[in-house]
């Protein structure tokens, strides 16, 4: 897990992510998924981004979240990458769908 | 291999990946094939390549033609938009003779007739209804107990039918009633018009009476079942449908409830969870249950119903039928509570007894406890345009498009689901809502995933049952 | 179609006429062809067909020395070539009569049982004459080819003629749908249709490259566009799928593709291949024992059946089908080329079974087995 540095202290988790690997939006979208279990804080610092998680209650397994977050980040980045590829197509198809059907 | 990736959404399910395209057509890939797919490493001879092409998630030529096909399907799926407002709910009276534990509408006492809709208001309501460009109009009488103001029901039906001679729309009426006050005189009148009855049966006698006693009698069950028979005599066997509401008292009894529905000769049930409005919200600590409990029991109830069908009896579950229609067919489903954009005002709307107009029944329920956030006008004060085309309504709708809501935007079940801004506001305080703590997201996603898992079994018997619900035909 | 041969006299061009064996003094004889086997030769008919020889009748048109003359029935319509070939183009006892618009085609299907020609004489007048002779009680008529839309606007003349002659009949037009890609043409076509019609269009795969390699033209999306255009005008559309080695494996995927993209389709037919013409030439690429694709066929048929679409299985012997599929089997082979083989002699289901194409006599499944009164499948 060299791409993501991890530090856990009590009810707090700090993950550090390289910006060259993951876009801001991917980090945001992945972090969003844990806002039910944790309070989340995102801090960009030069070439890295720090994400702070603080458990909302005692039953939260921060180790598990650290693991899952890595996978979630990858999936969110995939969505962004492939999303760029088809963004124009999606807009075109919706536009076509609602264009005048007078014919 | 060069191919174009077309709009899709995905979710990992154990070792596989579930993908859906822009119109909800879906397939499963192995993790490896998914990686090959996104890295453009799939080759044309591979089955996965062909399968993705078939579902229009990739294209290697004729891109314009493929987009055209997707556009046609997309238009079909969103057909409810071109229909405009077709469900018009009218609160004939907020008075009620029932004393349901979970009353969501903050009903008023029997004696307080100031909560009846007046003819003056009703006239304006009918005018607004026929201003809708929709070619299908369904007028649904709600309350309180609408039958307590039967005069206004007659007035509205007459007026609507008269107006429709010129407007020539497909006109239908439904009365949502506890049925306890219906009599032969009313039925004789209703017989001459196209009226359906929707009532509530929460389960076998003890359970039903626990949830839905009347003011003066605890045993509403005997009365309701008697009246159902009477309705069927006058209006026909299929004129009455029923739905149920789940409380903590009934959540572990779905099997008995389903059995009772079959005994009462209904051919479907809608297993509904409790909506947190009115008394249901106030008495949450007594009536409510964790959503996960509902989901578990729903799955068991669904399994039980599938078994019943496998034994040869046609009996459908209402919610599953809607979701399955979205998953398996290219067609649009008119279910205003779960669509994108949300059906607020643009698919369904409600006119309160005093002429106030709300974007949905739930919006009205919030108003009855003091929060008028979802009021969009009043029939006596505002024009059709002011009510249905206001900047405020536009803003509400813009924020209820799942395609652009956080998490919904990338959810692979988006085509089957929808947005519920009123529920988000009621539960979380804002119309957009946070999906991770949203109870309805949890419920819908869980049920959708369960249905998909049943479909993935490729069990011919299960498929047969599901299709019989969708097409309303036994095979 | 059924053909007979004789020696023709005084015939300079193809003629078309209706068969009669009764010398009715009051009939309009100029469109009638009189058939006899006892040497009589009444005057005034378009031609006379006789089984006798050495008639020597001067300048009248006649065809002599015709064998199997009993195959000609009253009210059949026949064409006669100058070389004495008599073709029964309308069989009064058949449910499968069709107007052959042209032998040209803009597809080049690898399994085409009737390979197209590049050039031919104009058939329009002959066909219009044919239509004027069709039995007035005809309940249905087919329009086929080659590709009927290749005659362009003249197809509308054909439709009008049919409407004038048999307005209550239902028309079954076979077309690859390509020409209907042109919106205007589809619109004019729809306007020319004044009676019940189904346009049956072949679609062989859910994948464009596979379909195109079967029809050997780049027409997948054109055919689809044609279908959409016809649907816009509420023309009933049927889809036909001929099954062979190149497409059997994706039949289930095709059935889902059809439902998702063309839910308006009226009917889907899965057809056993006729091993004639190009199909025979390409047999090694195409042949698969029908029993070997039963799994895919069953899934495809049941898929569509559950989705409340009409499905049929054409040209398939009942003993080859699993029991739950037999109800979809239709007796679809034109009478004049419908045969049974020796194995069928004592089969209890022979009457309901579609049987075989004449060309399948030597090319058919290894698993043909007659039903005895005890079920064997």
């Amino acid at each position: 897990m060299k791409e993501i540095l991890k530090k856990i202290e009590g009810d707090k988790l700090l993950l550090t992510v390289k910006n060259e690997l993951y876009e801001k939006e991917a980090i945001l979208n992945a972090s969003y998924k844990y806002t039910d279990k944790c309070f989340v804080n995102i801090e960009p610092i030069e070439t890295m981004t720090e994400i702070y998680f603080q458990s909302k209650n005692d039953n939260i397994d921060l180790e598990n979240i650290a693991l899952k977050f890595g996978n979630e980040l990858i999936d969110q980045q995939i969505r962004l990458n492939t999303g760029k590829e088809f963004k124009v197509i999606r807009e075109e198809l919706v536009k076509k769908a609602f264009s005048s059907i007078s014919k | 291999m060069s191919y174009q990736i077309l709009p899709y959404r995905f979710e990992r399910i154990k070792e596989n990946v579930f993908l859906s395209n822009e119109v909800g057509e879906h397939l499963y890939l192995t993790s490896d094939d998914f990686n090959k797919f996104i890295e453009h490493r799939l080759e044309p001879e591979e089955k996965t390549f062909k399968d993705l092409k078939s579902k229009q998630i990739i294209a290697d030529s004729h891109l314009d033609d493929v987009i055209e096909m997707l556009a046609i399907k997309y238009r079909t799926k969103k057909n409810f938009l071109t229909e405009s407002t077709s469900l018009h709910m009218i609160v004939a009276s907020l008075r009620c003779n029932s004393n349901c534990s979970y009353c969501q509408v903050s009903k008023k006492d029997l004696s307080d007739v100031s909560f009846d809709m007046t003819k003056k208001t009703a006239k304006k309501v009918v005018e607004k209804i026929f201003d809708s460009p929709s070619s299908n109009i369904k007028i649904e009488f709600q309350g309180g107990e609408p039958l307590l103001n039967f005069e206004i029901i007659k007035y509205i039906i007459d007026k609507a039918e008269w107006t429709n001679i010129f407007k020539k729309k497909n006109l239908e009426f439904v009365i949502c009633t506890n049925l306890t006050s219906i009599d032969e005189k009313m039925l004789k009148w209703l017989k001459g018009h196209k009226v359906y009855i929707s009532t509530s049966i929460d389960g076998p006698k003890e359970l039903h009476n626990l949830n839905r006693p009347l003011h003066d009698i605890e045993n509403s069950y005997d009365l309701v079942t008697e009246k159902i028979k009477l309705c069927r005599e006058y209006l026909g066997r299929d004129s009455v449908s029923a739905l149920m509401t789940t409380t903590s008292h009934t959540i572990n009894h779905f099997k008995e409830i389903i059995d009772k529905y079959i005994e009462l000769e209904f051919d479907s049930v809608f297993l509904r969870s409790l909506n947190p409005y009115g008394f249901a919200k106030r008495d949450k600590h007594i009536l409510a249950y964790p959503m996960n409990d509902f989901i578990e029991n729903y799955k068991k109830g669904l399994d039980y119903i599938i078994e019943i069908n496998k034994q040869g009896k046609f009996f459908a579950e209402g919610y599953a039928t809607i979701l399955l229609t979205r998953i398996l067919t290219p067609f649009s489903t008119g279910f205003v509570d779960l669509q994108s954009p949300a059906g607020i005002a643009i698919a369904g709307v409600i006119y309160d007894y005093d002429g106030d107009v709300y974007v949905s029944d739930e919006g009205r329920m919030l108003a009855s406890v003091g929060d008028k956030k979802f009021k969009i006008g009043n029939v006596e004060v505002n024009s059709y345009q002011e009510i249905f085309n206001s900047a405020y309504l536009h803003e509400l709708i813009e924020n209820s498009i799942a395609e652009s809501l956080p998490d919904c935007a990338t959810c692979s079940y988006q085509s089957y689901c929808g947005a519920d801004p009123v529920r988000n506001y009621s539960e979380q305080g804002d119309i957009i809502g946070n999906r991770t703590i949203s109870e309805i997201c949890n419920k819908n996603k869980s049920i959708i995933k369960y249905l998909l898992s049943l479909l993935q079994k490729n069990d011919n018997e299960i498929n047969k049952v599901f299709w019989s619900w969708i097409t309303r035909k036994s095979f | 179609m059924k053909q007979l041969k004789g020696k023709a006299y005084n015939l300079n061009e193809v003629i078309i006429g209706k068969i009669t064996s009764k010398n009715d003094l009051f009939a309009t004889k100029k469109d009638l062809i009189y058939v006899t086997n006892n040497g009589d030769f009444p005057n005034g008919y378009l031609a006379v067909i006789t089984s006798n020889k050495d008639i020597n009748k001067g300048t009248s048109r006649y065809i002599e020395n015709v064998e199997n003359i009993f195959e000609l029935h009253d009210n059949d319509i026949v064409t006669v070539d100058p070389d004495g070939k008599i073709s029964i183009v309308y069989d009064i006892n058949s449910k499968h009569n069709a107007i052959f618009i042209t032998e040209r085609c803009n597809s080049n299907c690898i399994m085409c049982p009737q390979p197209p020609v590049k050039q031919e004489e104009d058939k329009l007048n002959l066909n219009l004459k044919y239509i004027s002779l069709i039995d007035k009680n005809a309940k249905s008529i087919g329009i086929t080819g080659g590709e009927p839309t290749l005659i362009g606007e003249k197809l509308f003349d054909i439709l009008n003629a049919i409407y004038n002659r048999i307005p209550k009949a239902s028309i079954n037009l076979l077309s690859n749908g390509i020409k209907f890609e042109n919106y205007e043409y589809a619109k004019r076509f729809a306007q020319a249709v004044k009676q019940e019609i189904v346009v049956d269009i072949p679609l062989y795969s859910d994948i464009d490259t596979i379909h195109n390699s079967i029809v050997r033209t780049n027409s997948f999306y054109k055919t689809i566009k044609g279908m959409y255009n016809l649907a816009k005008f509420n023309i009933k559309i049927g889809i036909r799928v001929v099954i062979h080695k190149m497409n059997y494996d994706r039949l289930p995927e095709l059935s889902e593709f059809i439902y998702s993209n063309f839910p308006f389709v009226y009917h889907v037919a899965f057809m056993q291949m006729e091993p004639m013409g190009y199909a025979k030439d390409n047999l090694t690429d195409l042949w698969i024992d029908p029993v070997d694709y039963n799994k895919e066929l069953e899934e495809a048929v049941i898929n569509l059946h559950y989705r409340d679409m009409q499905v049929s299985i054409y040209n398939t012997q009942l003993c080859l089908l699993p029991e739950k599929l037999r109800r979809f089997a239709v007796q679809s082979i034109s009478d004049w080329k419908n045969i049974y083989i020796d194995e069928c002699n004592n089969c209890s289901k022979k009457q309901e079974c579609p049987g075989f194409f004449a060309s399948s006599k030597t090319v058919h499944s290894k698993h043909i087995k007659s039903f005895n009164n005890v079920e064997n499948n």
Side-chain angles (χ1 to χ4, degrees), chain B residues 415-428:
Chain B
S415 302
Y416 321 132
C417 199
D420 192 344
V422 180
R423 185 73 179 261
N424 290 337
Y425 176 79
S426 163
E427 277 185 342
Q428 299 182 30

Side-chain angles (χ1 to χ4, degrees), chain B residues 78-144:
Chain B
K78 299 288 185 186
N79 198 39
F80 58 86
L81 288 175
T82 48
E83 255 305 285
S84 190
T85 322
S86 48
L87 176 61
H88 298 262
M89 296 171 273
I90 303 178
V91 179
S93 171
L94 205 44
R95 295 185 293 130
C96 194
N97 63 337
S98 199
N99 204 13
C100 303
S101 61
Y102 49 73
C103 180
Q104 299 162 318
V105 308
S106 312
K107 49 104 187 175
K108 301 295 173 205
D109 286 337
L110 266 177
S111 51
D112 208 339
V113 291
S114 67
F115 291 98
D116 281 8
M117 181 176 277
T118 61
K119 283 207 171 112
K120 184 162 170 283
T121 307
K123 183 165 183 285
K124 286 280 177 195
V125 168
V126 176
E127 272 169 33
K128 291 290 180 296
I129 289 176
F130 279 92
D131 278 339
S132 166
S134 182
S135 51
N136 296 300
I137 301 283
K138 186 195 275 195
I139 292 178
E140 200 174 271
F141 294 99
Q142 298 261 12

Side-chain angles (χ1 to χ4, degrees), chain A:
Chain A
M1 283 251 281
K2 276 181 276 161
E3 301 164 2
I4 303 181
L5 297 172
K6 174 191 77 169
K7 204 152 67 162
I8 296 185
E9 259 171 38
D11 65 346
K12 294 188 182 55
L13 161 70
L14 166 62
L15 295 175
T16 313
V17 167
K18 286 190 193 157
N19 293 345
E20 60 177 319
L21 293 170
Y22 300 104
E23 286 172 59
K24 213 165 57 172
E25 217 181 306
I27 296 170
L28 193 59
N29 291 347
S31 307
Y32 178 86
K33 295 277 204 187
Y34 299 97
T35 53
D36 56 335
K37 300 188 171 63
C38 301
F39 296 107
V40 186
N41 230 302
I42 303 176
E43 284 239 30
I45 306 206
E46 288 175 13
T47 59
M48 315 277 251
T49 300
E50 294 184 332
I51 309 130
Y52 292 87
F53 298 83
Q54 178 167 343
S55 331
K56 281 187 178 177
N57 65 55
D58 294 330
N59 299 327
I60 307 296
D61 180 352
L62 287 175
E63 278 284 358
N64 192 254
I65 288 187
L67 282 171
K68 286 184 10 195
F69 186 84
N71 283 358
E72 186 62 45
L73 199 52
I74 291 173
D75 281 352
Q76 291 301 343
Q77 190 57 54
I78 288 174
R79 290 189 177 104
L80 286 175
N81 293 344
T82 47
K84 284 192 188 94
E85 234 192 282
F86 61 65
K87 175 169 150 58
V88 169
I89 293 177
R90 177 176 274 161
E91 286 167 11
E92 208 185 310
L93 96 82
V94 176
K95 200 162 101 171
K96 263 199 173 173
F98 294 114
S99 69
S100 157
I101 332 177
S102 63
K103 259 181 135 193

Side-chain angles (χ1 to χ4, degrees), chain B residues 209-240:
Chain B
N209 290 339
L210 202 53
N211 277 358
R212 303 182 61 89
L214 296 178
H215 261 303
D216 41 351
I217 326 168
E218 240 179 61
N219 183 11
S220 63
Y221 177 85
D222 284 344
L223 196 47
V224 182
T225 46
E226 203 186 290
K227 298 290 187 178
I228 289 174
K229 276 205 195 86
L230 197 63
C231 278
R232 284 180 170 151
E233 265 173 50
Y234 275 88
L235 305 177
R237 211 196 153 284
D238 296 326
S239 60
V240 186

Side-chain angles (χ1 to χ4, degrees), chain C residues 16-31:
Chain C
I16 182 168
K18 195 156 30 173
I19 297 291
T20 180
S21 56
K22 302 174 182 58
N23 189 8
D24 181 349
L25 292 172
F26 301 102
T28 25
K29 298 184 184 166
K30 65 174 175 61
D31 286 329

Side-chain angles (χ1 to χ4, degrees), chain B residues 335-350:
Chain B
F335 185 57
V336 309
D337 292 344
L338 192 72
Q339 55 179 65
S340 172
I344 46 171
I346 57 172
V349 76
I350 190 162

